[in-house]
Amino acid sequence: MTTPESHKIFFILNPGSGRNTRDWAQEITNYFAPLNHTIELYKLPKSANVAKIKDKIEQFSPHRVVAVGGDGTIKLAAECILHTNISLGILPAGSANGLAYELGITDNPAQALDVLITGITKTIHTTVINGELCLHLSDIGLNAYAMKKFKLQKVRGMWGYLIASLKVLWQNPKMEVELQIDQKAIKMKAAMIVIANATKYGTGALINPVGTLEDELFEVVVIKKLAVRELFKMVFFHASYNSETVEIFQTDALRMKSAKKVHFQVDGEYLGKVNEVKAILIPSAFKMIVPAPAVV
C-alpha cells in the first residue's frame, strides 16, 4: 500500500527481543523496496547508548521512529524522541507486546508494517517513575517479583509467566505501604500496586478498567489480595481482577513508601528493590502511529 506522502522512517531493531526467530531487517527492507519512502535500520548493540541513538536520529532527521521489539525497546525509542515532533511506531517483536496490543497493533508483520504507512497518530500521555520513562505499566510487589523469576527460567510464554507467578504467590508477603495522592496519605496492605497508563498486561489480563492513554491522569491500582484461581483466570482467560479486592485511584502525581524494600519493574524491565516510588504525569508526550479506524 502506498500513500501520496513520502516518509523518512528510522527503525530501532532489538535482535535480543522475543524468540528472535524472525529476520525483521529483511522483512522491513522487502516491504519498503517498492515504496517511495526512505528508511534507515539501526540494530541495537548489547549495551544500548541513548546518546548515540539520539545522534543517529538527529543525523537522519526522520518523520517517524519505529521500535522493533518489546515494551523495553519501545521505552528506549521513546526516550530518544521525547520533546520532539517525531511520531513513534511499533513493530511488535517482544516476548510480551503489551503497549502494541493496547494500541491495536497486531504482531502479524505485514499488517504491522502497513500501519506505519496507512495508520493515524494518537497523542498519549506518559509517566516518569523514579526517573524512568513509563509508557505502559509499572508495578511493585508480586508481578515485579514474578517478572524477575520469569527471566531466569527456561519456560516462556503464558505458562512460563504463570509458573513464575505461582512461585512468588506462595512466598511473597503483603506489602505495607503509604500512598500520598492529592495531598492525602493512605495507609494499606497490598499484594501488588500498579502505576497504570494503559489497561492491560501483555498477557491480556485487564488490570485497569477505567484507564485511557489519552487523558491527563494515570491510575494507581491497589490489589489487596490475589488467589491462585484468580491468577489462572487472568493469565489464560484475560479476566479482570476481583473488584472486591482492588481499589483504584486516579491522579497526576504519586509518592509511595513501603515499610520494607519491594520488587519494582517499569515496562517489563525489572529494576530491583525499592522502598519509595515517585511518579508524575507528562501529558501529550508522544504521537503514536496506530491503525486507522475501519471504514464501515
Side-chain angles (χ1 to χ4, degrees):
M1 296 183 185
T2 61
T3 61
E5 187 177 2
S6 177
H7 296 295
K8 291 183 72 177
I9 309 174
F10 186 89
F11 292 85
I12 299 175
L13 295 88
N14 185 355
S17 286
R19 294 185 179 88
N20 202 23
T21 57
R22 187 179 300 280
D23 187 345
W24 275 102
Q26 194 62 54
E27 292 269 3
I28 294 164
T29 301
N30 291 346
Y31 180 89
F32 281 95
L35 303 181
N36 186 31
H37 303 286
T38 306
I39 66 170
E40 183 166 327
L41 307 182
Y42 177 80
K43 289 187 179 182
L44 289 174
K46 289 185 178 180
S47 180
N49 185 304
V50 172
K52 184 176 180 181
I53 302 170
K54 282 184 175 181
D55 286 343
K56 291 280 187 182
I57 292 171
E58 189 174 337
Q59 290 169 23
F60 186 63
S61 189
H63 303 106
R64 302 180 170 188
V65 164
V66 178
V68 187
D71 290 331
T73 310
I74 298 166
K75 176 177 178 290
L76 175 64
E79 289 171 349
C80 295
I81 62 169
L82 184 63
H83 306 308
T84 73
N85 289 319
I86 300 171
S87 300
L88 180 60
I90 303 172
L91 292 179
S95 298
N97 301 296
L99 184 60
Y101 296 155
E102 182 85 22
L103 296 170
I105 301 168
T106 176
D107 59 3
N108 176 287
Q111 292 176 19
L113 283 160
D114 281 344
V115 170
L116 300 180
I117 304 305
T118 64
I120 60 172
T121 57
K122 175 187 286 190
T123 302
I124 68 167
H125 71 242
T126 189
T127 49
V128 175
I129 305 172
N130 284 14
E132 294 281 342
L133 196 66
C134 176
L135 279 77
H136 189 228
L137 298 165
S138 172
D139 53 60
I140 63 169
L142 188 146
N143 182 67
Y145 192 13
M147 200 165 287
K148 178 185 179 183
K149 295 279 190 184
F150 176 77
K151 291 183 183 298
L152 296 174
Q153 67 185 23
K154 293 181 180 180
V155 183
R156 312 306 288 172
M158 288 191 294
W159 275 110
Y161 177 77
L162 180 65
I163 291 167
S165 298
L166 289 174
K167 288 178 182 176
V168 169
L169 196 60
W170 294 121
Q171 60 182 282
N172 198 41
K174 285 189 177 181
M175 306 174 293
E176 294 182 17
V177 297
E178 179 179 289
L179 309 179
Q180 293 182 13
I181 298 174
D182 298 331
Q183 298 182 335
K184 295 179 181 178
I186 307 161
K187 292 185 178 181
M188 56 178 57
K189 293 182 178 181
M192 63 183 281
I193 297 176
V194 184
I195 300 170
N197 295 313
T199 62
K200 297 177 182 178
Y201 280 107
T203 60
L206 179 65
I207 183 66
N208 179 22
V210 301
T212 171
L213 286 161
E214 298 169 82
D215 63 5
E216 296 189 359
L217 296 168
F218 62 86
E219 284 70 44
V220 182
V221 183
V222 180
I223 300 169
K224 300 173 183 178
K225 185 180 178 182
L226 185 59
V228 173
R229 182 179 178 184
E230 187 179 352
L231 179 65
F232 187 87
K233 287 166 62 179
M234 285 166 42
V235 173
F236 288 98
F237 299 102
H238 302 172
S240 59
Y241 287 93
N242 182 349
S243 59
E244 295 179 0
T245 62
V246 173
E247 192 168 354
I248 300 176
F249 304 90
Q250 290 185 304
T251 185
D252 61 1
L254 165 72
R255 185 172 182 177
M256 178 166 53
K257 293 182 178 180
S258 172
K260 296 180 179 179
K261 285 194 172 185
V262 292
H263 297 277
F264 171 56
Q265 71 88 16
V266 174
D267 283 351
E269 182 182 358
Y270 178 76
L271 296 173
K273 285 186 168 185
V274 298
N275 55 14
E276 186 171 357
V277 173
K278 295 179 182 178
I280 58 169
L281 182 107
I282 304 177
S284 304
F286 295 104
K287 293 185 293 183
M288 303 298 303
I289 305 166
V290 301
V295 178
V296 180

